[in-house]
Amino acid sequence: MRVRALPRRPEVRLTELGFGAAQGGNLYRATTDEEFASAVDTAWEAGVRYYDTAPHYGLGLSERRLGAALRHRPRDEYVVSTKVGRLLVPSPQDAHLRDSDGFDVPASHRRVWDFSRDGVLRSIEASLDRTGLDRIDIVYLHDPDDHWEWAVTEAVPALVELRDQGVVGAIGAGMNQAEMLARFVREADVDVMMCAGRYTLLEQGAADDLLPAAESRGVGVVIAGVYNSGLLSRDRPPADAVYNYQQAPAELIDRARRIATVCETYGVTLPQAALAFVRRHPAVVSTVVGVRNTSQVVEAVRRSEAVVAEELWDALAVAGLLATAH
């Protein structure tokens, strides 16, 4: 599988397809240890060497499972990213309840926002303990939307210090918006941004600010949410398709179906085109796809390997379904 290095941190090299481990934290429904371990094995055999997780995913379950699945692999052959900003605080009085944040796990901990220097250090130490790894290759600030000042004045300097000490390899932020990510690129000493859902075949808002800023400053961009949380994940979007984790509006479903029709005339599916499109931008270093089991990994790899004719993008532009500037 093709690999791209972070421009500012060339020792950190990401495969063009990354393994999103949120579902290993029982996102929406339970996943067994065996299913997840098999998914990691299948991804490894296919050449995937970039794996993304976070404490938020299943209250640490994703980190524990991912660390266990990778522990016997040669450490210098893969890249792991995790996130800081939410500390997991024990909440034994709620352990009989289920997590209320979308993960099918006991509510044995609660998430507490913390972008302080101490919070960053504690979070990374806890992540190292849960994963059992000797280091974290990439650390992202996780959803600092409402905490810009806190994040940029305390969390970023703490991460810079850790990076300079060699504790982590590269630093950045991961969000579901592009505007603040672009601001981090312009104003902070960062190496890589994870942008979820704002640069896809359906919408290209990140092309107006984040991607040009990243390209000009040598900051890599990892694209997540390439299917807009479901709307672009099927060959033909159904009437109950999901967009941004909610029922998709009828006009967006119609637009996605029209894109799918044009894709079909060029012999590719909508998901195949969705993956191929985001990789065309020179600032994009990897695309992370969330997977739960072996079959989903096989499907993601198959889609990733599809050859998409350049003429498709011109056809979509002519149809008014893609801005020619992108």
Side-chain angles (χ1 to χ4, degrees):
M1 187 173 291
R2 285 175 293 191
V3 173
R4 290 193 62 181
L6 296 182
R8 299 182 62 180
R9 305 289 161 186
E11 67 277 9
V12 181
R13 299 168 57 81
L14 309 181
T15 46
E16 64 178 5
L17 179 66
F19 184 110
Q23 296 182 71
N26 289 0
L27 180 63
Y28 304 134
R29 62 179 177 85
T31 300
T32 67
D33 292 343
E34 293 75 19
E35 280 182 307
F36 185 77
S38 179
V40 174
D41 288 343
T42 303
W44 185 274
E45 292 167 5
V48 175
R49 295 294 185 272
Y50 174 37
Y51 300 84
D52 176 69
T53 184
H56 172 56
Y57 302 155
L59 296 172
L61 178 60
S62 173
E63 288 188 319
R64 289 192 294 272
R65 282 176 163 169
L66 183 62
L70 292 174
R71 206 162 296 151
H72 64 286
R73 312 285 187 185
R75 185 62 186 91
D76 291 337
E77 292 187 15
Y78 61 87
V79 168
V80 169
S81 59
T82 193
K83 306 176 182 75
V84 298
R86 290 176 173 93
L87 287 178
L88 303 183
V89 178
S91 183
Q93 69 274 14
D94 297 321
H96 64 289
L97 303 174
R98 307 305 288 176
D99 178 50
S100 61
D101 224 335
F103 296 89
D104 186 11
V105 295
S108 57
H109 291 71
R110 57 189 176 90
R111 302 167 179 86
V112 176
W113 290 107
D114 195 332
F115 289 98
S116 68
R117 181 180 187 278
D118 180 64
V120 167
L121 297 178
R122 289 168 58 194
S123 184
I124 292 177
E125 182 179 8
S127 291
L128 288 169
D129 182 62
R130 283 189 290 267
T131 61
L133 300 177
D134 63 335
R135 68 180 186 276
I136 304 297
D137 301 291
I138 299 174
V139 177
Y140 298 110
L141 304 177
H142 201 179
D143 297 334
D145 303 64
D146 299 323
H147 307 284
W148 164 261
E149 290 297 333
W150 200 8
V152 79
T153 59
E154 294 193 45
V156 170
L159 289 178
V160 168
E161 180 182 333
L162 293 173
R163 184 191 62 197
D164 292 348
Q165 292 173 350
V167 178
V168 301
I171 63 173
M175 305 175 72
N176 290 287
Q177 60 154 294
E179 295 83 0
M180 189 178 286
L181 290 178
R183 189 177 178 188
F184 273 114
V185 171
R186 292 191 298 265
E187 301 181 27
D189 182 8
V190 292
D191 311 300
V192 57
M193 297 284 109
M194 176 175 280
C195 180
R198 303 286 77 84
Y199 187 65
T200 72
L201 191 56
L202 188 68
E203 56 178 290
Q204 296 91 46
D208 297 328
D209 46 20
L210 171 61
L211 293 174
E215 186 178 8
S216 67
R217 292 178 177 266
V219 173
V221 177
V222 173
I223 298 296
V226 68
Y227 300 136
N228 283 119
S229 76
L231 184 51
L232 302 180
S233 66
R234 301 189 191 180
D235 296 359
R236 179 65 52 169
D240 62 349
V242 174
Y243 168 78
N244 270 10
Y245 312 105
Q246 298 178 355
Q247 168 65 42
E251 60 270 23
L252 283 184
I253 294 176
D254 177 67
R255 181 179 178 85
R257 287 174 175 172
R258 287 187 287 139
I259 294 173
T261 297
V262 177
C263 290
E264 289 166 2
T265 65
Y266 284 84
V268 296
T269 66
L270 181 62
Q272 288 172 336
L275 277 173
F277 171 73
V278 299
R279 291 184 184 143
R280 298 175 67 242
H281 198 286
V284 174
V285 293
S286 184
T287 303
V288 168
V289 177
V291 289
R292 185 184 300 275
N293 51 42
T294 293
S295 62
Q296 290 183 356
V297 173
V298 170
E299 182 177 57
V301 172
R302 177 181 58 81
R303 289 172 172 177
S304 179
E305 293 174 341
V307 177
V308 180
E310 283 294 308
E311 291 78 9
L312 170 60
W313 318 122
D314 293 331
L316 288 171
V318 170
L321 298 169
L322 187 66
T324 55
H326 308 316

